[in-house]
Amino acid sequence: MTRTYVVTGSASGIGATTARLLVERGEKVIGIDLSGADIEADLSTPEGRAAAAQAAIDLSGGTIDAVIACAGIAAPIAKTLAVNYFGVTEILDALRPTLAASPAPRAAVVSSMASLQPNSPEMVEAALSGDENRALALAEEAVAAGPQAGYVVYPTSKRALSRWVRRESITPEWAGAGIPLNAVAAGTVITPMTEALLSDPEGLALVDGSVPMPLNYHQPPESIASLLLWLTSEDNTHTTGQVIYDDGGADVTLRGDDIWSWNDPK
Ligand code: NAI
């Protein structure tokens, strides 16, 4: 049976590739983006998110089987937190009741290996507490301190998003409603977001210095899209709350084998 997918960021890069692969499989896709999508909306504002979610529900005819949130920006500006965190979590929260009515509901978001990079714990906590005004004020403060300090906004937005996924996934609202909720943490993906940076030798050196990818180097958007497709397919019945590093080995290179230490003797 055809499934209905809502894909944010559907006009470019990972979102566009995900939408294309879904359509090629015969699924129905409702795309959301600033322009060039079924629903044109600005996910950086609460009003834009609410309007986008309502339009998606209306266009779907009341049945949404999966939501894949790809929309994001990487600039060292406060808006990056608004789009990458609140533009994902508020859309998912708004669509969750409709999603829960599907016989096989699924949700997935695009995080980043950048969530492992230095970030602002204070900004992360403000985002997780749902206080967008405070989170954005902290982001503005970081940006005002200069471009180097402002860069913290992107990894912070992805750290907060990954933590939100882990925290929410096992709640009655998600697991209790039978909805797997996962994140894909991407490495360096060749999309319009990164093309300019990667074609500049200095930018390339900077990226490769912080995102080591021993397996197959930079990835095409299909690498992320195919994992998003599996996570949101009916085949995924028990994988939830996972932040899956689809990053050519960047996470393992940086973090080693330390993923069990929470229960080790101190
Ligand atoms: P992209 O720039 O090709 O696509 C992002 C899409 O999001 C664009 O179509 C853009 O219009 C949309 N968008 C941005 N702001 C929006 C807003 N306020 N409202 C609605 N839509 C908005 O970038 P790409 O690479 O496809 O990125 C997709 C996701 O993957 C992002 O969340 C990004 O942070 C993440 N990611 C990308 C990596 C990369 O190397 N390209 C690495 C790790 C994560």
Side-chain angles (χ1 to χ4, degrees), residues 8-16 32-35 41-45 69-74 79 83-84 110-114 154 158 184-194 219 221 224:
T8 76
S10 62
S12 177
I14 295 167
I32 301 175
D33 209 307
L34 286 170
S35 61
D42 182 355
L43 299 178
S44 72
T45 68
C70 304
I73 51 176
K79 196 190 231 187
V83 179
N84 295 7
V110 181
S111 186
S112 171
M113 67 69 62
Y154 182 75
K158 296 300 188 179
V184 176
T188 303
V189 189
I190 303 161
T191 69
M193 182 183 273
T194 52
Q219 49 199 149
I224 308 299

Side-chain angles (χ1 to χ4, degrees), residues 63-84:
T63 303
I64 295 173
D65 299 294
V67 181
I68 303 180
C70 304
I73 51 176
I77 54 177
K79 196 190 231 187
T80 295
L81 188 65
V83 179
N84 295 7

Side-chain angles (χ1 to χ4, degrees), residues 182-246:
N182 292 284
V184 176
T188 303
V189 189
I190 303 161
T191 69
M193 182 183 273
T194 52
E195 268 160 9
L197 192 62
L198 299 178
S199 61
D200 164 53
E202 247 178 67
L204 179 66
L206 199 74
V207 170
D208 287 349
S210 56
V211 189
M213 299 180 71
L215 176 69
N216 294 332
Y217 200 40
H218 298 159
Q219 49 199 149
E222 284 79 3
S223 154
I224 308 299
S226 55
L227 183 51
L228 290 168
L229 256 59
W230 183 81
L231 288 168
T232 53
S233 70
E234 287 171 285
D235 289 344
N236 177 19
T237 56
H238 286 77
T239 299
T240 199
Q242 297 305 303
V243 177
I244 301 177
Y245 289 86
D246 183 0

